[in-house]
Amino acid sequence: MRLPTGGLIDRDRTIRFTFDGKAYAGHPGDTLASALLAHGVTLMGRSFKYHRPRGVWGLGSEEPNALVELRSGARREPNTRATVAELYDGLEARSQNRWPALGFDMMAVTQAFAPMLNAGFYYKTFMWPAAFWEKLYEPLIRRAAGLGRAPDAPDPDRYEEMHGFCDVLVIGSGPAGLAAALAAARTGARVIVTDEDARMGGRLLADRAEINGAPAHLWAGQALAELAAFPGVTLLPRTTVFGVFDHGTYAAVERVSDHLAAPPEGMPRQRAWHIRARRAVLAAGALERPIAFAGNDLPGIMAASALRGYVNRYAALPGRRAVVFTAGDDGWRTAADLRDAGAEVTVVDARPGAPALARGVRHVAGGRVARAHGRLALDEVELTTGQRIEADLLAVAGGWNPTVNLTSHHGSKPVWNEELSAFLPGAGIPGLTPAGAAAGRLTLAACLADGARAGLEAARQAGFQGQPLPLPSAEDEPAAIAPLFFVPGRASTSFVDFQNDVTADDIALAAREGFRSVEHAKRYTTLGMATDQGKTANVVGLAILAEQTGRTIPETGTTMFRPPYTPVSIGAIAGHHVGRGFRPTRRTPLHGWAARNGASFVEVGPWLRAEWYARPGEKGWRDSVDREALNVRANAGVCDVSTLGKIEVVGPGAAALLDLVYANDISTLKPGRIRYGVMLREDGFVMDDGTCARLAADRFFLTTTTANAGKVMQHLEFCHQVLLPHLDVAVLSVTDAWAQVSVAGPKSREVLRGVLDDAAPLALPHMSVAEVTVCGGTPARLYRLSFSGELAWEVGVPAECGEAFMERLMAAGAPHGLAPYGTEALGVLRIEKGHPAGGELKGQTTAADLGLGRMLSKRKDFIGRVLSQRPALVDPARPVLVGLRTRDARQVLRAGAHLLEPGAAPSTGNSLGHVTAACWSPHLGRMIGLALLSGGRDRHGTRIRVFDPVRDGDAEMEVCDPVFLDPEGSRTRA
Amino acid sequence: MLIPCPYCGERGADEFTVIGAADPMRPEPDAPMEAWVEYVHVRDNAFGPHRELWHHVHGCRQWLVVTRDTRTHAVHGAEAARR
Amino acid sequence: MLDAASPLAGLETPPAATEVGVTLRELSGLAATMLRGGEGEGLPGPGGALELAWGTALWAAPGQWLLLHASGTVPPFPAARLTPLHGARCVLEVAGPRAAEALATLLPIDLGPRAFGPQAAAATVAAHVPVTVWRSGEAFRVSCYRSFALSLAEALLAAGRGRGVRFLR
């Protein structure tokens, strides 16, 4: 029922929501759990394996049971904890894992098979007969397994990533966190305060405690108001710090609009924070643990601190007759709060000699609950003495576990404290200080003092001095606790891990079967492996394991906590790196022109390159590509080569650096001349090829392949900075400075006369470079070099003038049949001329393999010189570059096919090499290709079997010289 | 992980690429094949402080020698490789 | 002489927000030049930017500065030490009361007034695009390689969503 007064809810406004189709009402400030409990609804779900009826256990994100499905359609969200789901008008929630209905779940029949479904059952069952697995067992298990239904439509919401920087990060905003934040903020430090709850204040909102003689939540409100007024303080409610990474890096997720029906326009649903903090204070509080006894998972059985939280914060009392089962003083607070709310209370205190700490309640000293009875909800509590008490609420106070998870994300193990019966943070993480209940302080005054001290010290270490925080008055009564983790009895229904349905029996079984190490027992039983990471289960579980294996709790140890602390949506992790934001696109300076002229674009790494330029009437890409390739050799073509890496190497040391980097001699290159160059890796394989133009004694202009531009740049910087740091040289990326086109074909000279202000440089010999002007004074560079095997030049103009230049070039070239060509036609032309490119330069070929062995200098040291001569790289059996010619126009040749001796059995052992590139040659009227073939040079003119089983290719073709056209190279020298 | 670039200040490791041990020195040109094989292919698997070559590709593009503890990721310093 | 084109042609801009928190505009008509050598000439040190009469100098590497100046002009240094980069950079100015907040979604560095004060500059990465960012008065200026310009501008507009973004033409 909803109590008539009290609670931190807004009773003036009503919120309507549904649960399993039934309409309910709540108030702003409610969670789904608190609103349902206020209506007396305690049955909220069915457990994972056994489909046992379950209700709310806790108050916050540690909730293991009340997992519901929220929303519908593309925003449907399974496995949402009802305890953290903020109520909003129109909220639709449904219980999970039950069919046909929560109250009548047919899958509960699995309980009858419970003895077969215990820990490790999947290693022992459903194995015989083997044939049944695929057809029967797996489909059945698949339908029964899992928890929750994922949505099957794309996520309509937007997510964001945010980088935050601060001097002090305070994790948690309970008494210790608020005190730490105040102490740090008052020093002038930049402070970020996070709390997973929508309303900051931690347990000050859930307990009836007093600070300075007034309700504690009022002090929390004042502290938050003061913090909000500091410009250097950022308050982040609804934000969970879920992981601790190196060097003060913290990952957090902020639930920006989870509490609304849909994100408002422009707002993200969630925001992932990367926080860099000089220092951090972990004020994450503590979580109450259960006690394992028979039937301890019935709806109506809750953590004692949670139950009083529902009464105090939400004015929700889900029952009338309560039993409080406590192992320490703390449970008595719940007893008093329940009594004042009007419930009949019996306290079963497991400690025989402990005094009553509240009046007006029945007291069973030294009593223990043996079993909870009920069908869909609790109705009776049975003690070990046999005494039975009618009850619809059972509050369990098993002791407090400091929330140490974040301190162990770097592998630091928590340390058992006998006096507190709890694990405290261990050696911890540099820069992260636990404070308050997370550090084992269990009185309000101690939490405030500890937080204040930790906050001030964190600020000091971050470089900010200040005064100790004046502490308000608060109670300081230590709460005694006796260790009690389980009550012996029917272990098969004494639940330890509620979410994964792991019982005390399962843990005993694991120990009996030899899984005695806590890491083995965890994995064998799945204890602690559910979405709650065992927050309520781990300590009870390992206490049982300790007892079963005759060890102490510290001897048994703990398993590792890893991020995330609570589940994080994939959307938040992806942030805005989705769709077009996944990776950037690079466009050439001619992109706009190409798009307007029929270009079809292909992704080459991050670049968009025109693969061909379609003309009206062309029916497919082959029509365009054949036309373009034929036109280059017949008239002239222009190709955008701006994506190739361009690097200027400048300074007195430039020649010396390039002599080290290139395998062939560079320092002998004269100004005004260009040389084709090959760069090796230090292990002797070819890294990249390109051209090197010498513009002046101390200025060189290099080109690289598109794919290797970044790698070559990095390599040059390495060779300069690490190997030859004394050289006076600068290595500059100029790829984006120039729009670069290749004009190729017998008419290319006439075309270029139409744009060059002075045509004289066109008479310079092949492999020359000149600085020129074009189109009435625009500075440009003219390079005579050819990739297509035709008479050709490359022209570089300032990038911002690229499109204007193309318009003028096309106009000048129109009378000569100039047409643009793309990367596909470029590929056809270079294969026809046997020029190595991507398929041959994959980092597994040597210069000798490619027929470039003679380029390696004998006069100088260069990168890769020594290892290029090691036995494996000079082995005469290495596959070398050859051409492949199909025998007629119908044969199909594809890159990737293997080469075999005709008649040899097809096996990788018999493979003599593979096809590296293939195309239809419109000039030869058939498919041709390049390949790496063992003994290739001696096989020109012979037949080879081209074996391509994946694509049904198996034919004999002819091995030939890789240069299919104009082997003397006379066309480039025209 | 944060790398204290001497030019740019502390930056996230995402701005860098790392290629491995900084101590192996490129052999003299006339050194035997074995020395070159060692230099290119053979590395110790350090457990503890390790001097490594990092390249600040998304920053100043300088190569750095970073001393990092491979057990704890503690970074003890970074200096320009040129020095 | 040939006309210059903007690398942001084709950028889809959202309708202007009513309450503008972030403005974005391209600083067009700029050229870039790399300067080699310049110690002791009053040029900025690592992590620095200087706005001078002829343009802006940004520290790029030991002994190297990136100079941004009006297209068609030449920075006042000996030609032998200059490497023209023409339109290799696109420079965007991000301004407004929520500019720093929008940039914090993209840049992994501290842009707060203490860590990134006047004349501060940093080479870093934003939305996988290598950028140089510096302060210019109350605004931020972000420079990237021309080929990335459209992607960077889209990322900045997306960062301004929900923060009242307006693209100034």
Side-chain angles (χ1 to χ4, degrees):
Chain A
M1 59 168 274
R2 180 81 71 180
L3 300 170
T5 56
L8 301 173
I9 49 175
D10 180 359
R11 291 177 190 262
D12 293 336
R13 285 166 44 213
T14 304
I15 292 178
R16 301 198 190 286
F17 67 99
T18 67
F19 180 60
D20 278 349
K22 196 162 161 205
Y24 296 93
H27 299 288
D30 263 329
T31 60
L32 176 61
S34 67
L36 285 172
L37 290 174
H39 279 277
V41 175
T42 52
L43 174 63
M44 293 194 202
R46 290 280 182 159
S47 71
F48 176 46
K49 210 164 41 166
Y50 300 127
H51 292 257
R52 291 172 66 89
R54 291 284 171 82
V56 173
W57 160 264
L59 197 58
S61 66
E62 76 281 7
E63 174 59 32
N65 281 335
L67 302 181
V68 302
E69 182 182 276
L70 280 189
R71 307 174 195 269
S72 55
R75 289 201 171 93
R76 186 171 74 209
E77 213 178 294
N79 303 333
T80 304
R81 293 153 171 74
T83 54
V84 302
E86 286 178 67
L87 215 55
Y88 58 83
D89 212 46
L91 181 148
E92 284 172 19
R94 281 168 297 282
S95 58
Q96 297 185 145
N97 207 38
R98 78 297 183 270
W99 182 82
L102 192 51
F104 179 65
D105 180 10
M106 296 209 58
M107 287 303 291
V109 70
T110 53
Q111 285 180 84
F113 295 98
M116 245 177 71
L117 296 175
N118 54 14
F121 76 90
Y122 33 82
Y123 301 117
K124 304 165 188 165
T125 50
F126 302 112
M127 296 207 161
W128 179 89
F132 277 36
W133 174 252
E134 205 176 311
K135 295 283 163 49
L136 182 61
Y137 298 145
E138 198 207 330
L140 269 182
I141 291 173
R142 208 172 262 285
R143 276 232 292 266
L147 190 65
R149 300 184 300 164
D152 43 29
D155 191 336
D157 292 329
R158 197 169 72 82
Y159 299 83
E160 194 172 77
E161 182 182 77
M162 182 77 92
H163 293 95
F165 296 84
C166 63
D167 302 303
V168 179
L169 170 66
V170 178
I171 303 168
S173 66
L178 290 175
L182 281 172
R186 289 180 185 180
T187 68
R190 261 191 314 184
V191 179
I192 294 177
V193 188
T194 66
D195 196 296
E196 62 181 14
D197 204 327
R199 184 166 173 162
M200 300 182 112
R203 287 244 29 122
L204 297 178
L205 310 177
D207 287 337
R208 284 196 307 173
E210 287 194 346
I211 294 182
N212 287 341
H217 67 85
L218 293 178
W219 180 87
Q222 288 155 18
L224 287 164
E226 182 185 334
L227 286 167
F230 282 105
V233 171
T234 305
L235 296 177
L236 293 178
R238 298 190 178 98
T239 303
T240 305
V241 173
F242 64 81
V244 183
F245 301 95
D246 290 311
H247 307 160
T249 305
Y250 296 82
V253 65
E254 179 186 358
R255 288 172 289 281
V256 179
S257 21
D258 276 10
H259 61 290
L260 304 169
E265 172 55 40
M267 294 299 283
R269 177 77 188 267
Q270 295 180 353
R271 183 178 288 132
W273 283 82
H274 299 235
I275 299 173
R276 288 220 317 243
R278 285 197 212 283
R279 290 291 183 272
V281 175
L282 180 66
L287 294 170
E288 199 165 37
R289 58 175 176 252
I291 300 170
F293 53 86
N296 67 335
D297 65 326
L298 276 168
I301 303 181
M302 302 172 67
S305 59
L307 185 51
R308 70 174 182 263
Y310 284 110
V311 169
N312 297 326
R313 179 171 171 181
Y314 300 105
L317 179 65
R320 311 256 41 201
R321 283 161 309 195
V323 171
V324 176
F325 179 23
T326 182
D329 292 348
D330 198 74
W332 287 90
R333 292 213 239 161
T334 299
D337 291 350
L338 288 171
R339 171 204 68 206
D340 291 345
E344 233 179 75
V345 183
T346 306
V347 178
V348 177
D349 191 328
R351 303 166 296 170
L357 295 177
R359 285 192 288 255
V361 301
R362 282 163 51 204
H363 178 197
V364 180
R368 298 180 176 213
V369 171
R371 186 164 169 185
H373 294 270
R375 200 177 66 83
L376 293 180
L378 175 72
D379 54 47
E380 198 171 63
V381 172
E382 181 186 338
L383 306 186
T384 52
T385 55
Q387 179 188 356
R388 290 187 176 226
I389 306 170
E390 261 185 46
D392 54 9
L393 281 178
L394 172 52
V396 181
W400 289 93
N401 293 334
T403 309
V404 303
N405 305 47
L406 292 183
T407 64
S408 22
H409 280 181
H410 286 196
S412 150
K413 297 260 179 195
V415 175
W416 181 252
N417 182 298
E418 200 60 49
E419 188 195 324
L420 296 172
S421 279
F423 279 100
L424 296 187
I429 294 173
L432 175 65
T433 306
R441 317 263 180 266
L442 295 178
T443 74
L444 184 49
C447 287
L448 289 164
D450 203 35
R453 185 198 50 77
L456 187 67
E457 180 57 19
R460 189 192 68 77
Q461 288 180 7
F464 293 84
Q465 305 299 328
Q467 296 304 313
L469 191 74
L471 293 171
S473 65
E475 66 90 12
D476 204 12
E477 281 302 307
I481 178 89
L484 176 62
F485 305 100
F486 57 91
V487 178
R490 279 181 47 164
S492 60
T493 60
S494 300
F495 283 85
V496 179
D497 185 324
F498 294 123
Q499 196 165 123
N500 264 358
D501 267 349
V502 178
T503 64
D505 203 34
D506 290 324
I507 298 169
L509 177 68
R512 276 202 308 278
E513 295 198 353
F515 296 95
R516 301 163 50 89
S517 134
V518 66
E519 297 281 1
H520 284 154
K522 165 187 171 178
R523 285 155 179 80
Y524 194 62
T525 61
T526 74
L527 167 80
M529 293 176 71
T531 69
D532 60 347
Q533 252 191 33
K535 290 180 178 60
T536 55
N538 287 334
V539 175
V540 175
L542 70 92
I544 294 173
L545 182 65
E547 201 254 359
Q548 289 287 320
T549 57
R551 293 175 291 181
T552 64
I553 287 177
E555 280 170 349
T556 310
T558 54
T559 52
M560 190 85 71
F561 288 119
R562 298 182 175 86
Y565 171 72
T566 44
V568 178
S569 70
I570 299 285
I573 292 172
H576 44 261
H577 304 283
V578 293
R580 291 171 80 106
F582 180 65
R583 58 175 186 169
T585 306
R586 295 183 81 169
R587 290 169 178 82
T588 81
L590 305 176
H591 184 92
W593 179 90
R596 291 191 297 274
N597 283 273
S600 167
F601 291 101
V602 63
E603 288 181 9
V604 179
W607 291 98
L608 289 175
R609 296 194 74 178
E611 41 183 4
W612 57 80
Y613 296 80
R615 286 211 177 144
E618 285 180 337
K619 295 198 193 58
W621 64 272
R622 274 281 307 279
D623 288 351
S624 311
V625 174
D626 289 354
R627 169 184 54 75
E628 289 174 8
L630 286 166
N631 186 62
V632 171
R633 298 209 193 277
N635 299 311
V638 55
C639 182
D640 180 1
V641 294
S642 305
T643 63
L644 276 68
K646 308 183 222 27
I647 302 172
E648 271 193 42
V649 182
V650 190
L657 178 64
L658 294 175
D659 259 356
L660 177 67
V661 165
Y662 278 107
N664 50 322
D665 293 325
I666 293 300
S667 53
T668 54
L669 186 62
K670 295 188 171 30
R673 300 288 295 154
I674 306 172
R675 190 166 286 175
Y676 173 68
V678 168
M679 292 183 190
L680 305 188
R681 292 194 311 242
E682 199 73 275
D683 67 358
F685 287 99
V686 173
M687 178 172 66
D688 199 47
D689 74 340
T691 60
C692 180
R694 191 166 198 168
L695 296 162
D698 62 354
R699 186 178 292 271
F700 292 80
F701 177 89
L702 281 57
T703 64
T704 76
T705 61
T706 300
N708 287 330
K711 199 183 297 188
V712 170
M713 185 71 190
Q714 182 172 55
H715 180 63
L716 283 167
E717 288 165 324
F718 176 86
C719 290
H720 170 216
Q721 296 174 30
V722 179
L723 299 182
L724 298 174
H726 57 279
L727 287 182
D728 179 6
V729 61
V731 176
L732 308 170
S733 164
V734 300
T735 307
D736 284 72
W738 300 96
Q740 191 104 344
V741 297
S742 167
V743 180
K747 309 259 184 66
S748 49
R749 191 177 262 123
E750 283 74 24
V751 171
L752 287 172
R753 276 206 186 97
V755 289
L756 285 171
D757 292 336
D758 173 6
L762 289 171
L764 289 169
H766 187 54
M767 302 301 269
S768 298
V769 56
E771 310 220 43
V772 298
T773 66
V774 297
C775 302
T778 299
R781 288 179 181 165
L782 184 67
Y783 312 82
R784 184 168 170 184
L785 42 76
S786 177
F787 192 53
S788 56
E790 295 302 311
L791 174 68
W793 284 261
E794 280 188 18
V795 185
V797 300
E800 68 274 21
C801 304
E803 289 202 30
F805 179 68
M806 271 306 269
E807 301 282 357
R808 299 281 289 268
L809 184 70
M810 290 304 297
H816 306 289
L818 180 70
Y821 66 103
T823 56
E824 285 297 318
L826 183 68
V828 169
L829 298 170
R830 75 96 183 171
I831 291 172
E832 289 174 342
K833 290 296 293 182
H835 283 148
E840 298 78 37
L841 295 175
K842 289 201 292 234
Q844 296 161 327
T845 51
T846 67
D849 294 344
L850 302 175
L852 304 172
R854 273 191 299 236
M855 283 181 67
L856 273 47
S857 172
K858 306 226 180 334
R859 310 184 314 122
K860 56 153 191 172
D861 181 33
F862 56 89
I863 302 284
R865 178 181 60 88
V866 175
L867 288 177
S868 69
Q869 304 308 310
R870 59 191 155 116
L873 270 60
V874 296
D875 184 347
R878 282 184 68 83
V880 295
L881 189 66
V882 297
L884 282 180
R885 182 197 296 266
T886 50
R887 292 188 357 252
D888 61 52
R890 286 164 309 164
Q891 276 195 326
V892 175
L893 177 62
R894 288 195 186 86
H898 276 268
L899 304 174
L900 298 164
E901 199 71 71
S907 70
T908 48
N910 284 341
S911 173
L912 297 174
H914 67 280
V915 181
T916 59
C919 68
W920 171 266
S921 164
H923 296 100
L924 296 164
R926 66 190 64 216
M927 290 200 78
I928 58 170
L930 300 175
L932 292 165
L933 175 62
S934 178
R937 283 189 199 104
D938 297 328
R939 288 181 191 252
H940 290 188
T942 68
R943 294 261 181 94
I944 199 85
R945 182 178 176 194
V946 181
F947 187 65
D948 191 3
V950 175
R951 294 169 291 195
D952 292 324
D954 190 0
E956 286 188 13
M957 302 185 189
E958 195 191 303
V959 180
C960 59
D961 192 280
V963 183
F964 292 86
L965 296 176
D966 184 31
E968 300 81 36
S970 57
R971 294 170 77 92
T972 58
R973 287 173 165 74
Chain B
M1 216 173 358
L2 299 178
I3 305 297
C5 175
Y7 301 104
C8 304
E10 251 185 4
R11 295 293 185 86
D14 290 350
E15 292 187 4
F16 299 79
T17 57
V18 55
I19 62 167
D23 289 334
M25 299 294 292
R26 190 166 188 265
E28 292 300 310
D30 54 6
M33 175 76 72
E34 291 72 32
W36 285 94
V37 172
E38 275 277 320
Y39 169 65
V40 173
H41 292 296
V42 180
R43 292 289 179 274
D44 289 334
N45 193 7
F47 185 63
H50 188 227
R51 282 165 51 88
E52 323 177 308
L53 280 166
W54 288 67
H55 188 209
H56 199 178
V57 283
H58 285 314
C60 57
R61 296 200 68 91
Q62 298 306 296
W63 281 90
L64 310 175
V65 175
V66 177
T67 305
R68 178 180 70 94
D69 191 311
T70 59
R71 293 164 303 179
T72 62
H73 286 187
V75 173
H76 298 298
E79 48 175 11
R82 291 185 203 235
R83 308 246 166 286
Chain C
M1 291 273 287
L2 293 167
D3 287 333
S6 162
L8 298 185
L11 176 67
E12 279 175 31
T13 54
T18 41
E19 253 194 72
V20 176
V22 184
T23 61
L24 182 65
R25 74 183 173 105
E26 182 192 0
L27 300 185
S28 49
L30 290 180
T33 301
M34 203 56 113
L35 171 69
R36 220 168 51 83
E39 286 76 4
E41 294 182 26
L43 291 164
L50 263 185
E51 287 183 345
L52 300 157
W54 53 261
T56 302
L58 300 160
W59 185 91
Q64 278 178 36
W65 286 262
L66 176 65
L67 310 179
L68 297 169
H69 50 94
S71 193
T73 66
V74 179
F77 297 93
R81 286 163 53 194
L82 296 178
T83 299
L85 297 178
H86 308 295
R89 298 288 190 277
C90 174
V91 183
L92 298 165
E93 185 174 83
V94 187
R98 299 183 77 175
E101 190 192 310
L103 289 173
T105 67
L106 295 176
L107 280 88
I109 59 170
D110 190 354
L111 298 173
R114 266 191 299 231
F116 201 74
Q119 300 183 343
T124 180
V125 61
H128 309 291
V129 175
V131 297
T132 301
V133 59
W134 67 102
R135 275 201 192 271
S136 178
E138 292 295 306
F140 294 91
R141 292 189 172 175
V142 185
S143 154
C144 71
Y145 289 142
R146 181 192 186 83
S147 55
F148 283 111
L150 201 57
S151 281
L152 180 65
E154 286 174 353
L156 287 167
L157 286 175
R161 247 181 102 175
R163 299 183 166 99
V165 69
R166 181 160 170 209
F167 187 83
L168 305 172
R169 289 211 183 267

